[in-house]
Every structure is written in structure tokens, then in C-alpha cells.
Amino acid sequence: MPQIFTASADTWLRAGVLLVGLGVLVTGVLWDGAIGSSAITAVGWVRDQPVPFSHKHHVGDLGIDCRYCHTTVETGPHAGFPATHTCMTCHSQLWTGAAALAPVRDSLATGTPIAWQRVARLPDYVQFNHSIHVARGVPCVTCHGRVDQMPLMMRAQPFQMRWCLDCHRDPDPHLRPPDQVTRMDWSTWDREGHADYGPHQAALFGIKPERMTDCALCHR
Amino acid sequence: MRRLLLLLPLILTLSSCDEMTHQPRYQAAGRGRLFPDGKAMQAPPEGTVAQDDPARAAALDERPPMTLDLLKRGRQRYDIYCSPCHDVAGAGRGPVVARGFPAPPSLDDPRLVRAPSRYFVEVITQGHGVMYDHADRVTPTDRWAIAAYIRALQRSRSTPVDELNAADRAHLSGGTP
């Protein structure tokens, strides 16, 4: 009976197994880097908008509260998009001839909404509710970043499941006084001095981390 | 050909990759191609009455009893919706006025001190002069809360310092209450 395997077959097999193993490892590392990269998450990318609206000007310079425009953030799943009527509350008097605001004036005159491009978006298989997060004291800045420093709106966080879970697995350090949710700058929040605050609030509101990772909490 | 057929499941799987992320449904404030105006969120047909409309009308009609909670709610809502023009003290020198918006009267103007609370609710509901209405932003109950807080602001601007107690005076001069 002739030999089935050549003398070098064993070496080829070892080399092959090693190569496949390395391949899996390298692909894994690359994949992990790729899905976390800003090309996938869109973190820091600015989208073209019909009007170059500046949150820096309106929030940072003027100090207008988030809820002046995002009116349903406390009561519903969506933060709420301001109607053109809201823009024109001030801009019927201010910058009335500005070319940049022409789409806003046209929108009011014709009743056609301004086609804003959405910046913060979750996949359709996730159900997210703003009101519960706001009521429990997760500040706007946690997910949306320092919008008071953004001349043009950009995504501040990778809206991916592992990022959601970072907080859902350990909510305590992320909780703040609910009456200050729209506050942007928390650099003066003394984390050590407030070490007991998160656990206290979690107990008060009945937030149970073991239930916060239930699949059906967000996927239903 | 048979090899290509083997690839078919892979191709089908790839094409469905994005379907769960972008499901064929309307998003809030998104496009709705079914409707002539292209809006997913349609205004209710004329003449319809929403289930909570009677409750809203009733809340607008009757002034809620004055409580500390109502005042606190009024303060919060006032700071959100009114302070950009009227400023946090009610003097009418808010940041938007500083940018050139016509200055509103100070809320302790004698005319406004004499005005009934309902007047402030009506101004929030219908607007006044260059002030747009805020009916889409402030609920009827919150309008009454703001009207109540305006009374507190008026009081704060007309009370002589001598009438304050020692703790309030210390607070006013920068000490801790």
C-alpha cells in the first residue's frame, strides 16, 4: 500500500493550523478596532444640515435650556424636535435678513418642515425612552456630549450596545440630581464626595442593575 | 453554476444585514411618503378632539391652588421658557434681549402687578406683541405654575430689605442662608 501522506504533511498541517489561528486572531483584533472606529460609530463626524445651527451659540453663549426646544424629553420616548415656530420665536426679530436663516423663514411661510439630518440615532430594533433617563437623573451630556461646545452638531458617543451596557451594568456613578439634568459642565461634581449619591439614588428609584441588562428592556 | 448557487445563501444573508437596523417604518418627525405633504407626523384632521383635550381645557380654565410645589415647578418652567427674554429676575434683560430682541416690560411693572394671574396664562397661551405663543411648549398646568411664580418674582422685587428676617438678609448679602 502506498503512503497517503508525504514526509512533510505533518509540517504543513502544523503550519496550516497556526496560520488559521493567527488569521482568526488578527481578524478579531481588526474587527474589534473597526467597529469601534469613528468610521462605523460616526463619533465626531459633522453632517451637512440645511441650516448651520450652532448648539454652542444657543446653549453655550445664550444659556438656553435644552428643554426650550426639546420639549418632550421629560414626558416621552423622543426628546422632540422643535417646530419652525420655536425657531421663529426669537428669529422673527433677530437675524431677520440672514441668508443662513432663509430655509427657516421659508419653512414658516410654506409650512414645509426643515429637513434636518439626524445625528443621534439608534438602530430600529432598540427601543429607547428619554423620559425615564431624564427622570432618574442621567444628564443630557452623558450621551450627547458637550453640545454647548459644538458649533455644528456631532455624535459624541458610539451608540453601540456595549456602550449602553457600560452604564446599565453599573448605573450608580452616572446618576446626578434630576433637577439638574440639562447641566453641561459636571467638572465641579466631586466624585469622591458624592460616592454615596449614586447608590442612594439607585435605592430610592428602585434601580436594580441585575434587571438592567434584561434583553427585553431595550429589545422588544 | 453550481458554485454560484452555493454562494446564494451568503449573498441573501448579506443583503439582509441592514434590514433590522433600518426597518420599513416611520420615525417620529421623519419622512412619511404615504402622505402628500411627506410628513410621518400628521396633524389631526380638522374638528377632531383628542382624548385629553377636555382635561387640558379644564386645566386651563381653573387656577390650581397655590402650593410650594406649584411655585417650584413654576420657577423651573419660568427659567426654561421665560428667562431667555425676561431674565431670571423678571426685569426683562435676558440674553436674547441682549442680542437685540425688543425688551419686554419688567414683570414688576405696576400694570402687570395689578393684572390677574389669568392674564399671564393667556399671554403664554396666545402670545403678546412680538412674543410668540408658547402653548406648544408649556402645558396648561405649567402656565398657571409660571403665573404663580411671577407673583413671587414681583414680591421679591417690591419687598424692602428691612422686612426680611436675619437669615434672608444674610443670604442676600452673599452669606450662606
Side-chain angles (χ1 to χ4, degrees), chain A residues 57 61-71 74 78 81 83-95 108 111-113 115 117-118 121-126 178-179, chain B residues 17 19-25 27-29 31 37-39 73 76-77 79-85 95-97 99-102 129-139:
Chain A
H57 173 66
D61 301 347
L62 298 178
I64 296 174
D65 192 280
C66 309
R67 291 164 290 191
Y68 189 88
C69 303
H70 303 291
T71 50
E74 294 169 302
H78 304 288
F81 227 80
T84 305
H85 178 87
T86 303
C87 310
M88 292 300 282
T89 305
C90 296
H91 290 293
S92 61
Q93 301 292 325
L94 297 177
W95 297 98
L108 189 80
T112 316
Q117 299 299 308
R118 196 156 175 182
R121 187 182 185 283
L122 290 172
D124 284 353
Y125 48 80
V126 181
D179 61 346
Chain B
C17 265
E19 269 184 18
M20 289 292 278
T21 310
H22 296 271
Q23 291 163 23
R25 70 172 193 216
Q27 306 281 345
R31 269 182 220 286
D37 61 0
K39 290 190 270 191
R73 175 76 181 175
Q76 189 203 37
R77 297 292 116 173
D79 287 351
I80 297 171
Y81 296 105
C82 313
S83 73
C85 289
V96 173
V97 172
R99 300 287 172 140
F101 198 93
V130 293
M131 174 182 157
Y132 272 30
D133 77 79
H134 284 60
D136 57 340
R137 282 160 271 183
V138 185
T139 65

Side-chain angles (χ1 to χ4, degrees), chain A residues 72-80 118 127-133, chain B residues 28:
Chain A
T72 53
V73 75
E74 294 169 302
T75 51
H78 304 288
R118 196 156 175 182
Q127 84 104 40
F128 175 83
N129 194 315
H130 271 95
S131 65
I132 187 65
H133 290 86

Side-chain angles (χ1 to χ4, degrees), chain B:
Chain B
M1 191 59 205
R2 289 231 6 223
R3 280 189 187 173
L4 270 178
L5 278 178
L6 282 177
L7 277 175
L8 197 63
L10 185 68
I11 293 164
L12 286 176
T13 324
L14 276 177
S15 68
S16 64
C17 265
D18 208 31
E19 269 184 18
M20 289 292 278
T21 310
H22 296 271
Q23 291 163 23
R25 70 172 193 216
Y26 288 169
Q27 306 281 345
R31 269 182 220 286
R33 299 189 192 281
L34 192 63
F35 302 105
D37 61 0
K39 290 190 270 191
M41 286 160 88
Q42 291 288 304
E46 247 178 83
T48 44
V49 178
Q51 281 189 334
D52 58 351
D53 272 357
R56 282 175 69 91
L60 196 57
D61 256 7
E62 195 165 348
R63 191 174 80 172
M66 176 72 91
T67 59
L68 187 59
D69 280 345
L70 187 77
L71 277 177
K72 283 179 175 167
R73 175 76 181 175
R75 177 184 195 162
Q76 189 203 37
R77 297 292 116 173
Y78 176 92
D79 287 351
I80 297 171
Y81 296 105
C82 313
S83 73
C85 289
H86 292 275
D87 79 54
V88 287
R93 294 190 218 118
V96 173
V97 172
R99 300 287 172 140
F101 198 93
S106 174
L107 292 174
D108 68 340
D109 184 287
R111 174 179 73 88
L112 296 175
V113 173
R114 281 195 305 271
S117 293
R118 180 171 298 281
Y119 175 75
F120 300 106
V121 173
E122 278 169 6
V123 167
I124 299 170
T125 310
Q126 293 151 20
H128 181 85
V130 293
M131 174 182 157
Y132 272 30
D133 77 79
H134 284 60
D136 57 340
R137 282 160 271 183
V138 185
T139 65
T141 321
D142 285 345
R143 289 172 218 167
W144 283 111
I146 289 173
Y149 181 62
I150 288 175
R151 293 293 184 222
L153 282 180
Q154 289 172 338
R155 184 75 188 275
S156 78
R157 296 179 70 81
S158 62
T159 305
V161 178
D162 303 342
E163 287 179 20
L164 299 179
N165 61 31
D168 286 342
R169 258 203 298 273
H171 186 45
L172 197 64
S173 56
T176 45

